[in-house]
Amino acid sequence: AEGKYHNYMYANIDSDKGKRLLDYRIMSAYSEVAEALDEICDEVIYKDEDDEIIQLLFKNSEYGGVVVNELQKEFQKFVHYFNFENNGWEYFRRLLVDGEIIFEHTEEGILGIIDVPTELVDPIYDNVQNMLIKGYILRRPVFNPKTNTVEKFDYIPFDKNQITYIHSGIWNEDK
């Protein structure tokens, strides 16, 4: 019975990631869905009483003050690079619609970020069962200048440390 239910419920889902994301984005533009998504984002992304969008908190920390202070400094760099105050709401909304958001690091470590369209990147799993990612593949479209259409894709590999990949954690049986 479980297999029949799943086949019925997911029969119309296109396995092509770009088409699937386009469908999700179209659905997110329907007024009722858009209003619900906006309300969720408004509830999640807001400034607290300390005028902060996001905080790093330590619960029952075994680390001393020096380690905590260093982690807080690094976390503030992270907040600065991703500009959560201005972009956090949009990041979260895209996560709700696409199920993932992807950023490329511009230098060793995170010295800056580039927002990468989710439809152009696929994680490469070392082992799908344990969800260990060993790298990423970027499909860069190559346009025909005469027709202004995508002629082909160049496949560019990225090491797992070159990408920040945030996903919903919700998958079907095929991941």
Side-chain angles (χ1 to χ4, degrees):
E2 180 70 29
K4 289 181 183 178
Y5 171 78
H6 186 273
N7 290 339
Y8 174 75
M9 290 303 293
Y10 297 104
N12 293 325
I13 291 181
D14 195 317
S15 59
D16 181 287
K17 185 177 182 180
K19 290 178 184 175
R20 189 175 64 245
L21 290 174
L22 181 61
D23 287 344
Y24 295 161
R25 291 169 184 168
I26 289 170
M27 284 187 284
S28 74
Y30 294 151
S31 62
E32 295 86 356
V33 176
E35 288 173 17
L37 290 169
D38 291 350
E39 189 171 324
I40 292 167
C41 291
D42 289 343
E43 291 294 320
V44 171
I45 306 295
Y46 67 94
K47 287 188 177 182
D48 65 11
E49 62 275 355
D50 296 325
D51 208 30
E52 297 287 335
I53 297 285
I54 188 170
Q55 293 183 22
L56 176 63
L57 301 175
F58 297 90
K59 203 174 200 179
N60 304 325
S61 177
E62 60 190 56
Y63 302 110
V66 174
V67 172
V68 169
N69 287 339
E70 199 59 35
L71 288 171
Q72 287 288 0
K73 282 188 347 191
E74 291 300 315
F75 184 73
Q76 287 310 311
K77 287 182 192 176
F78 170 81
V79 170
H80 171 73
Y81 295 138
F82 285 89
N83 194 3
F84 285 113
E85 185 169 342
N86 295 314
N87 299 331
W89 193 95
E90 181 60 32
Y91 293 158
F92 193 74
R93 193 172 197 289
R94 282 193 357 239
L95 179 63
L96 291 174
V97 174
D98 290 358
E100 61 186 5
I101 51 178
I102 300 169
F103 301 97
E104 177 188 353
H105 307 165
T106 56
E107 296 289 332
E108 191 171 317
I110 299 179
L111 300 177
I113 60 165
I114 299 170
D115 198 353
V116 180
T118 56
E119 63 270 16
L120 298 179
V121 177
D122 287 311
I124 305 302
Y125 292 94
D126 181 46
N127 184 331
V128 178
Q129 280 72 35
N130 63 16
M131 301 298 291
L132 293 177
I133 295 173
K134 65 179 181 179
Y136 300 88
I137 294 289
L138 171 68
R139 291 180 312 282
R140 185 177 65 197
V142 177
F143 289 90
N144 181 324
K146 294 178 182 171
T147 62
N148 203 25
T149 60
V150 176
E151 190 172 85
K152 64 177 184 167
F153 288 94
D154 285 339
Y155 295 94
I156 302 168
F158 283 90
D159 185 68
K160 67 180 180 179
N161 297 322
Q162 291 177 277
I163 298 287
T164 297
Y165 176 60
I166 302 164
H167 60 81
S168 67
I170 299 172
W171 307 97
N172 68 8
E173 76 280 358
D174 297 324
K175 304 278 185 217

